[in-house]
Amino acid sequence: MTLTLTNFTQFENFGHSLRAPSYRFQIKCAEEIEDVICLAKKHGLTVTARGAGRSYNDAALNGGGIMLDLSAMNQILEWDSTTGLVRCEPGVTLAKLWQRVEPDGWWPPVVSGTMFTTLGGCLSANIHGKNNFRMGPIGEHVVAFTALLPTGEQITCTPRQNADLFYSMISGLGMLGIFTSITMQMKRVESGLLEVHAWPVHDLHEHLSFLLDKAPHHDYTVGWMDTMNGGKSLGRGQIHAANYLHGDEDPNPKKTMQLDNQNLPPYIFGVFPKSILYLFMRPFANNLGWWAVSTAKYIASRRQHVFRQPHAAFHFLLDYVPNWELSYGRGGLIQYQSFLPKETAEDAWREMLTMSLQRGMPSYLGVTKRHRPDNFLLTHAVDGYSLALDFKVTDRNRAKMSQMLNEFDKIVVQAGGRFYFAKNSETSAEHARAFLGEATIAKFKELKQRCDPNGVLESDLYRRLFEQSY
Ligand SMILES: Cc1cc2nc3c(=O)[nH]c(=O)nc-3n(C[C@H](O)[C@H](O)[C@H](O)COP(=O)(O)OP(=O)(O)OC[C@H]3O[C@@H](n4cnc5c(N)ncnc54)[C@H](O)[C@@H]3O)c2cc1C
């Protein structure tokens, strides 16, 4: 195929806080990936793979280079409903996957908070779900993948075959090669519903203690944190913990596993189309408005209760409001997620949350999870917790915000924490080096040299975090 550099397109991150123009190529098969890599080499350009572009940061941006759009390489190639093994092209979204397997009594073992991500993007970031403490990241459920390296080599990796590439391409941010097919093991479920327990928590100490204590007794846990109130209320919020239903706990599992029971409703309160809801959120996207929303939500959350919820509704709450990120306005948002050991998390987050309130730049949303470590090279997980914070960016606060998040990074590094490369956009090469360690950087550098000796695969994130180490 003859390719030309014509389609120069402006790309944005999911939070709309960053922009970068690139030559876009939407490809449909592995051979076309090779063609694009050849073209890049010929013109001395770099290439970044892009799935659904749902990363909050610059992981799928490549200013001045080529954007390899894999979203149309999206076929489910094989599905075995007796073993739960599925083989997919990398552009298959989690939405397409769960909708295929759930009616047969299976569910993806790890999902992100949105169903619109692609499997290629999920493996590259090695996503975690609300069950990370129990199931690990998505990479632990990958049986095999095939990939194309910039050298032109086509490889197959499993935990035993090409194991070093298996454990580094998963989590490797698309910098070693491009996934061309992914085989995963799904999880058997006996019902389309989860039993969800909700508890209020009154401060940061109680919040983290609940996450720790509840996790061993549940399949999933997640916390909402009211990040607008400080003092004695700092860290208050609500914990949700969910369990699968077993045996005859669901009297009609065939029905609850049908898609009609899972799909998110198109209307809110049966009247307002979901697609316009973000416009109603806009007037609240300021410090006073969000303080009122958070305070009201906390008051409404003070009752301990138990309810049943479809899998999709529990996992993909954020998808209820399409384009919710646009409610943050022109400057967009930055999501800052830090992962801290259970011993140091409370003090570090107390300092960070207090700082954000004192500087008048509070986070509008806080989400907590419980985690455990894993064996992937660029892992973000720890034996502890994560806290994801959403910050509104404006022309006026951009520089001050960047400085504050840099100070957060120092606190996290000093507390023995880690960062997640699908989220933070302000982390520097120095802080990445500090948390990854010299041995990990050296290993990554060696693999990069082996898989991509000409340095074709690069992204804005790669240049921000790794270029100085090379
Ligand atoms: C609302 C929301 C909620 C989220 N919740 C969670 C969560 O709960 N847990 C979590 O872990 N993450 C979460 N995320 C982050 C998200 O899961 C990751 O950013 C994921 O990588 C996005 O997938 P994508 O298909 O959009 O990938 P993109 O953003 O397009 O790309 C991400 C990375 O993958 C690389 N890539 C893409 N396709 C390939 C391929 N075929 N081969 C090689 N590299 C490739 C890209 O180069 C890039 O480095 C959330 C994001 C949003 C917007």
Side-chain angles (χ1 to χ4, degrees):
M1 190 171 54
T2 314
L3 299 175
T4 49
L5 293 168
T6 46
N7 195 355
F8 205 53
T9 309
Q10 184 81 285
F11 287 91
E12 293 189 349
N13 61 331
F14 173 75
H16 303 286
S17 58
L18 303 167
R19 280 164 201 92
S22 304
Y23 296 101
R24 174 170 184 248
F25 289 92
Q26 190 176 58
I27 56 96
K28 290 231 164 79
C29 60
E31 293 72 44
E32 290 178 9
I33 302 177
E34 262 188 290
D35 293 341
V36 173
I37 288 178
C38 283
L39 182 80
K41 284 183 182 164
K42 189 170 138 202
H43 290 274
L45 292 171
T46 58
V47 176
T48 300
R50 188 167 166 112
R54 298 263 156 177
S55 294
Y56 279 90
N57 61 4
D58 46 0
L61 293 179
N62 186 19
I66 289 178
M67 190 56 73
L68 185 69
D69 178 348
L70 289 137
S71 58
M73 199 172 159
N74 62 0
Q75 296 307 307
I76 296 180
L77 302 168
E78 284 171 56
W79 163 235
D80 185 336
S81 61
T82 51
T83 61
L85 276 179
V86 66
R87 191 165 73 86
C88 299
E89 290 187 323
V92 168
T93 58
L94 287 177
K96 189 164 183 171
L97 180 61
W98 76 255
Q99 286 171 10
R100 177 69 182 271
V101 304
E102 225 242 349
D104 292 332
W106 301 86
W107 183 257
V110 172
V111 294
S112 49
T114 171
M115 63 171 105
F116 301 121
T117 49
T118 65
L119 289 182
C122 289
L123 260 62
S124 292
N126 204 11
I127 63 156
H128 58 264
K130 299 173 179 74
N131 53 358
N132 186 259
F133 58 95
R134 193 174 280 281
M135 300 293 275
I138 194 166
E140 291 189 13
H141 308 278
V142 174
V143 175
F145 64 76
T146 58
L148 181 73
L149 305 184
T151 52
E153 196 184 342
Q154 308 214 18
I155 54 162
T156 300
C157 297
T158 75
R160 276 164 298 281
Q161 183 183 354
N162 291 318
D164 55 349
L165 285 180
F166 182 88
Y167 285 100
S168 52
M169 284 190 63
I170 297 179
S171 79
L173 300 153
M175 293 298 105
L176 301 176
I178 309 292
F179 298 114
T180 48
S181 76
I182 294 158
T183 307
M184 282 182 64
Q185 175 66 55
M186 298 293 102
K187 172 150 183 41
R188 234 312 161 221
V189 290
E190 296 166 54
S191 163
L193 300 172
L194 292 167
E195 182 167 273
V196 187
H197 298 249
W199 298 272
V201 281
H202 303 98
D203 57 32
L204 184 58
H205 181 76
E206 195 181 33
H207 195 126
L208 299 182
S209 307
F210 256 66
L211 282 177
L212 191 67
D213 297 344
K214 298 295 176 197
H217 310 290
H218 296 276
D219 295 309
Y220 299 95
T221 60
V222 62
W224 163 73
M225 190 183 280
D226 167 7
T227 43
M228 300 299 297
N229 284 284
K232 283 191 179 148
S233 303
L234 189 95
R236 72 184 185 180
Q238 188 182 37
I239 306 292
H240 278 156
N243 286 336
Y244 296 112
L245 297 181
H246 299 287
D248 56 9
E249 285 176 315
D250 178 356
N252 204 345
K254 276 213 161 63
K255 181 159 180 268
T256 60
M257 286 192 288
Q258 291 312 306
L259 295 185
D260 289 356
N261 191 61
Q262 294 288 333
N263 280 326
L264 306 179
Y267 295 96
I268 303 284
F269 305 128
V271 183
F272 301 110
K274 282 191 315 181
S275 54
I276 58 162
L277 200 65
Y278 78 92
L279 293 171
F280 292 95
M281 290 165 67
R282 267 201 180 151
F284 295 97
N286 54 63
N287 288 359
L288 186 63
W290 218 259
W291 174 83
V293 170
S294 297
T295 304
K297 176 167 166 54
Y298 178 70
I299 291 168
S301 310
R302 279 191 304 185
R303 191 175 57 86
Q304 181 177 332
H305 59 292
V306 183
F307 56 101
R308 288 186 175 186
Q309 204 173 21
H311 291 272
F314 176 76
H315 289 291
F316 308 124
L317 189 67
L318 288 168
D319 295 340
Y320 266 98
V321 186
N323 302 322
W324 60 266
E325 73 283 3
L326 295 176
S327 67
Y328 278 78
R330 210 163 51 87
L333 80 142
I334 292 178
Q335 184 170 106
Y336 183 95
Q337 188 173 20
S338 49
F339 290 71
L340 283 161
K342 54 186 187 307
E343 296 76 16
T344 58
E346 187 177 332
D347 286 347
W349 283 330
R350 189 177 302 286
E351 195 180 343
M352 286 154 62
L353 291 165
T354 306
M355 190 192 293
S356 70
L357 288 165
Q358 281 170 350
R359 295 194 187 179
M361 292 185 288
S363 154
Y364 290 174
L365 180 69
V367 175
T368 52
K369 292 185 192 131
R370 173 86 174 101
H371 298 269
R372 66 148 166 86
D374 59 68
N375 291 329
F376 294 88
L377 187 65
L378 301 184
T379 178
H380 53 271
V382 293
D383 180 6
Y385 320 97
S386 68
L387 170 61
L389 300 169
D390 283 1
F391 291 101
K392 176 173 171 156
V393 184
T394 63
D395 291 341
R396 272 185 71 193
N397 80 5
R398 192 176 279 269
K400 282 194 297 179
M401 178 70 70
S402 195
Q403 190 191 333
M404 182 175 82
L405 299 183
N406 213 275
E407 289 176 50
F408 280 14
D409 279 1
K410 286 191 189 123
I411 298 170
V412 171
V413 167
Q414 270 166 18
R418 305 184 77 87
F419 305 107
Y420 181 27
F421 291 141
K423 302 284 177 85
N424 310 12
S425 55
E426 310 301 298
T427 298
S428 65
E430 182 195 342
H431 287 135
R433 204 182 185 96
F435 94 84
L436 286 171
E438 295 298 334
T440 300
I441 299 265
K443 175 84 181 156
F444 188 54
K445 183 176 167 183
E446 179 208 315
L447 291 168
K448 178 83 176 154
Q449 184 61 31
R450 181 175 7 138
C451 299
D452 185 18
N454 301 316
V456 174
L457 296 177
E458 270 194 11
S459 60
D460 286 357
L461 175 142
Y462 180 81
R463 290 184 277 274
R464 171 168 60 88
L465 292 178
F466 294 106
E467 217 160 41
Q468 293 170 26
S469 325
Y470 279 59

